Amino acid sequence: MLLLWLMADKAQQQYPHASIMLPESLQAQAAADLAAWAATHGYQAQPSLVDQQPCYRKGRGWLTSATEIRLHPNGQLDIDEVVNFLVGSRRFALNAPAMLGQPVRRHKLKAVNQLLAQWQLPPLVIEAAKVGVKIKK
């Protein structure tokens, strides 16, 4: 558990959010598009596990991580992974190049990228070159 906590803490410090600023031309329809996409992919409108702000969330964060997608009024879209450690939660970018839960996060990114493709925006990826364990000598 300590290793997982440390990996999640490092990911939160280095990659706090996956943020995408939507073009103004998309902002009027973005909320409706996001709601339809969320319903299709099993996300529910719920309060965030971290700050209780409204978001679309999939998962409870217990034993597995939850994914939260939040559309801000200014058109900024945040896509985060939340890990609950009972004594506190850690939130970091879904596409953070961290080893923590990477296979599951890659699967979640495929669904998120369908939404981004609908808006003709570039996909989110986990940069493979940045993932790995560094051993200090």
Side-chain angles (χ1 to χ4, degrees), residues 54-84:
C55 68
Y56 287 98
R57 183 172 45 140
K58 185 173 185 176
R60 293 180 294 159
W62 296 95
L63 303 176
T64 61
S65 58
T67 304
E68 296 183 349
I69 301 175
R70 185 179 314 195
L71 180 61
H72 298 276
N74 68 351
Q76 178 179 328
L77 185 70
D78 289 339
I79 307 163
D80 300 319
E81 196 71 352
V82 179
V83 182
N84 188 343

Side-chain angles (χ1 to χ4, degrees), residues 7-110:
M7 287 192 311
D9 192 55
K10 184 178 180 180
Q12 178 176 315
Q13 290 174 18
Q14 293 180 340
Y15 308 96
H17 295 287
S19 292
I20 299 170
M21 193 63 183
L22 299 180
E24 284 189 32
S25 61
L26 293 175
Q27 291 181 16
Q29 185 63 29
D33 290 346
L34 178 58
W37 174 89
T40 300
H41 292 281
Y43 286 75
Q44 297 178 351
Q46 299 177 344
S48 169
L49 292 170
V50 177
D51 60 12
Q52 299 301 306
Q53 295 299 311
C55 68
Y56 287 98
R57 183 172 45 140
K58 185 173 185 176
R60 293 180 294 159
W62 296 95
L63 303 176
T64 61
S65 58
T67 304
E68 296 183 349
I69 301 175
R70 185 179 314 195
L71 180 61
H72 298 276
N74 68 351
Q76 178 179 328
L77 185 70
D78 289 339
I79 307 163
D80 300 319
E81 196 71 352
V82 179
V83 182
N84 188 343
F85 289 103
L86 299 177
V87 294
S89 297
R90 291 289 177 251
R91 173 173 54 196
F92 57 92
L94 182 61
N95 65 332
M99 291 178 57
L100 183 64
Q102 193 177 117
V104 174
R105 289 188 295 121
R106 284 188 190 277
H107 180 71
K108 292 175 180 182
L109 277 173
K110 286 182 183 179

